[in-house]
Amino acid sequence: MLQVKQVCQRLDINAQTIYYYERIGLISPQRSESGYRLFSSEDMENLRFILQVKLLGLTLEEIKELLNLKKGRSLSCQVVYDQLKGKIAEIEDKIRQLEGLKSELMPLLKQCEVNLHNPNPDHQCQVLNVNN
């Protein structure tokens, strides 16, 4: 059994992160008689899982759902597939939105480039004026 400090060192995470995960119900370490949190190898495995899937972009709520399924040992390939497919769809949607924003900003950037060559150093940038 490991205490918080040891877990933080092994997983390279902040103690506040562990406390937060416990508060929101992602983990539930045992307690010693004196109240210290004690982490089993299963707790460590769950924390590694949380950190790994968080890097993949899953929200803490999505991770909580996966952990609940995992606790019930019913974490099927279909469940993981569905979660990851949904996350990929969200990412693709964000990419489309960002591409649209980029398309709107590129003409403004080109206009700025033209204005940079203005011989008057006090020339005020008009690119973002609403009246343009």
Side-chain angles (χ1 to χ4, degrees):
M1 297 293 254
L2 301 173
Q3 292 184 358
V4 171
K5 182 177 180 179
Q6 296 164 310
V7 172
C8 291
Q9 290 171 342
R10 288 191 183 185
L11 299 179
D12 193 29
I13 59 172
N14 187 300
Q16 293 303 316
T17 302
I18 293 174
Y19 303 145
Y20 179 69
Y21 289 170
E22 182 180 16
R23 240 186 348 269
I24 65 171
L26 283 178
I27 59 172
S28 50
Q30 298 174 14
R31 297 282 181 147
S32 70
E33 288 182 17
S34 54
Y36 290 104
R37 291 167 181 85
L38 299 174
F39 295 84
S40 67
S41 58
E42 185 178 341
D43 293 325
M44 291 293 289
E45 181 184 318
N46 284 339
L47 279 167
R48 281 187 191 95
F49 177 80
I50 292 166
L51 297 172
Q52 183 179 26
V53 295
K54 195 168 183 293
L55 286 175
L56 295 174
L58 272 66
T59 66
L60 292 178
E61 191 57 40
E62 291 167 331
I63 294 170
K64 190 173 188 176
E65 290 173 21
L66 287 175
L67 283 172
N68 287 334
L69 291 169
K70 188 177 176 191
K71 283 179 189 173
R73 304 290 180 233
S74 61
L75 190 57
S76 69
C77 287
Q78 185 65 51
V79 170
V80 174
Y81 175 84
D82 291 343
Q83 286 281 357
L84 293 176
K85 188 170 179 148
K87 184 52 67 177
I88 289 170
E90 286 178 28
I91 291 168
E92 288 171 343
D93 185 50
K94 285 180 187 175
I95 290 171
R96 278 190 294 278
Q97 291 175 13
L98 289 170
E99 288 291 340
L101 179 59
K102 179 182 173 184
S103 295
E104 291 179 32
L105 294 177
M106 287 305 291
L108 298 176
L109 181 65
K110 289 190 185 314
Q111 184 59 48
C112 282
E113 289 170 352
V114 168
N115 291 338
L116 286 175
H117 301 294
N118 188 318
N120 179 358
D122 295 326
H123 177 75
Q124 296 294 310
C125 182
Q126 301 296 314
V127 171
L128 298 179
N129 281 353
V130 186
N131 298 331
N132 278 350

